[in-house]
Every structure is written in C-alpha cells, then in structure tokens.
Amino acid sequence: MPELDFPQPLLTLDYDGALEARLFDDVRLTVAPHLPAARIDPPRDLASEDERRDAAQYAVWNTVHDLFIAQVAAHAIAGLFKDDTEFQFALARQLGDDAAHAEFSRGRAAALSGADPLAQVRQGVQDSWDLIGGFALRNWQNFLAWQFHYEHYILARLFVNRRTAKVLDFGHREFGENRILPDEEAHRVRITQWWLNKLEQADPAQREDWVAGLIQADEDVQQVLGPYLRASWQLNQRATGLDARGHIALYDAWRRNLLATLVRRDANDLPALTSLAA
C-alpha cells in the first residue's frame, strides 16, 4: 500500500473535541472521501422486530464496554495511580459516567428485548477481563494504551455512525446526544491532558523512552483487541446500517494519526502498526 500524505499532527497541549473532528476529517478526506462531512439524510426509528433485536444486542455490547471501563478505572484508582490524586479525579469522573452509561444501555437492552441482559453483561465483562484487563493494569503505559483504544480510537466508528446511520434507537438517542457524547469527550480530554502534561515535564531522554514504550504498548493492545474491535463494527452496522465501506483503512489511518498527535510525532515517523484487519 503506498504511503499516504497526511497533514502534520497537531502538536499542542490543547486537546478537545474540535481537534478530534478536524483530524478525523483530514483522515476521512484522504482514505474515505465517500463519507459525508455531515449527516445528509436523517435516520429513522426502529421499525421491525429484527431491528429491535439488533439494537438490543448492540446495547448489550455498549453495556459491557462501559461497565468494564468503570471496573478498570476503579482498580487503577486504588492501584496504579493510588499516589496520583490529580489523575484519580479524572478516573473517578470516568468511572461514574461510564457506570451511568452502562446502566442506561442495560435498560435499553431490556426494553428492546423484553428481558434483563444481566447474565450476558456479567459474562461479557468477565470475557473482557480475561482478554485485556490484567494487561491494562500492569503499568501506566499499558493502561494509557488501553484507554486510547477504548476511548479515543473508537471515535472513528462513532463519527461514521453519527453521519451515516440509517436506523437509530430513538429511545437511546436523547441520552446519547445529551449525556454520553459530552461525557466521553470530557474523559478523552482529561486523560489526554494528563498524559501530555506528564510528557511535557519529562526530560528529553525520559520523553523518548516513554513515547517508545507507549507506542509498543499501543501495538500490543491492538494485537489483542483486533477481533473485539472488528466485532464492534459488525454489531454497529447491523444495528444502524452505517456505511462501513473502507472502515479498515479508515480505522488504521485514524489510529496512526491520532497516536501521532498523542505522542507528539509526525505520523510518517511512527513504525509500522498492526492493522484492524490483522
């Protein structure tokens, strides 16, 4: 595959949703120009039992995803970051918000399917711990790389969903727009600012060592999470009919360019990264 000419990463301590949107559109125009810059046609509500079933399955996935984040954050507060009070505030905010998001998604899954999905959720969270939980809590580089995958890189799919989904669960829409989206942006901003401030204060040799370690941890997480992330695209597509054309290239380019921004490097200077397709 030929090298793609991407814009320089945004090397700044300021990180927010506007930066994410600009970077995504730079990537979209380069690798997925068929995707619109904004929604063209409004989505419709669920209209059949099959659509309700698919939406319920996607709600269970979101419940598991968010409850697992809350649990890992709780362990990190008491363990990895027990002496970092400032970061504990960011993780406590994430823990509380994602627990609320998980509870709402559980309720939507129950409303759509007619049954409480608690047993599925319990098994899904255990599967997540078996897959990545111990790795994420091994050291702060692993934890940060896990956060990037669970909070930052997932944005590629969510941007596509917001712009191209044909069907949405209108019972979830208001909570998602008014609560989940701003909460998740706050999590990403606070986690990123903690890291960038830490990086800024390091001496040059330490900075290089940290960046190299974080890039390797990010690679390790991607290799473990590949099947999980691919399944999330498939579930989302079945539930909403989003435009998944070229999503592998889009995710790979988004991850490379966002990672470059997060470690203050040029995207072309990063090593080869494992593809979502691997």
Side-chain angles (χ1 to χ4, degrees), residues 79 97 117 260:
D97 288 344

Side-chain angles (χ1 to χ4, degrees), residues 23-229:
L23 183 60
F24 179 79
D25 278 319
D26 288 338
V27 170
R28 174 186 63 83
L29 289 170
T30 303
V31 300
H34 61 279
L35 294 174
R39 175 172 288 283
I40 298 173
D41 299 315
R44 61 170 175 80
D45 198 0
L46 306 172
S48 70
E49 284 305 310
D50 285 346
E51 289 176 353
R52 289 174 65 85
R53 182 198 64 236
D54 292 338
Q57 291 175 349
Y58 186 47
V60 171
W61 185 93
N62 280 298
T63 305
V64 170
H65 187 85
D66 286 335
L67 185 57
F68 179 61
I69 291 174
Q71 291 186 9
V72 175
H75 280 268
I77 289 170
L80 273 178
F81 304 104
K82 61 184 175 61
D83 298 320
D84 191 333
T85 306
E86 185 63 40
F87 199 38
Q88 287 177 4
F89 279 108
L91 296 179
R93 165 76 190 268
Q94 182 184 40
L95 188 165
D97 288 344
D98 277 348
H101 302 169
E103 189 169 43
F104 185 86
S105 293
R106 174 189 176 187
R108 287 309 301 162
L112 291 167
S113 67
D116 187 346
L118 184 59
Q120 290 175 265
V121 171
R122 185 181 294 117
Q123 185 60 56
V125 172
Q126 183 57 57
D127 291 344
S128 297
W129 275 106
D130 293 342
L131 181 66
I132 196 68
F135 180 91
L137 292 169
R138 190 173 301 161
N139 54 53
W140 69 261
Q141 290 96 333
N142 284 12
F143 181 82
L144 198 58
W146 168 78
Q147 286 275 7
F148 290 168
H149 281 78
Y150 263 64
E151 294 279 4
H152 294 64
Y153 303 152
I154 196 175
L155 270 178
R157 176 169 58 80
L158 300 183
F159 272 125
V160 174
N161 190 60
R162 292 190 74 196
R163 298 181 188 189
T164 69
K166 299 175 182 176
V167 181
L168 289 179
D169 171 18
F170 279 21
H172 184 275
R173 191 177 188 182
E174 182 178 355
F175 185 83
E177 292 289 334
N178 296 329
R179 178 69 192 274
I180 295 178
L181 290 178
D183 284 349
E184 294 301 327
E185 180 178 336
H187 303 163
R188 294 191 303 274
V189 168
R190 294 184 72 170
I191 289 163
T192 302
Q193 290 289 8
W194 173 84
W195 155 244
L196 292 180
N197 287 331
K198 181 181 179 72
L199 186 65
E200 185 72 12
Q201 295 166 19
D203 63 60
Q206 191 177 50
R207 188 177 299 124
E208 290 299 316
D209 183 61
W210 283 353
V211 167
L214 183 54
I215 292 171
Q216 183 57 58
D218 197 88
E219 264 292 273
D220 293 340
V221 174
Q222 179 65 41
Q223 291 171 13
V224 172
L225 289 182
Y228 175 81
L229 297 172

Side-chain angles (χ1 to χ4, degrees), residues 241-260:
L242 64 79
D243 187 346
R245 291 176 296 165
H247 75 277
I248 296 290
L250 178 68
Y251 175 90
D252 290 348
W254 167 247
R255 176 183 166 226
R256 170 172 286 275
N257 281 268
L258 186 52
L259 178 60

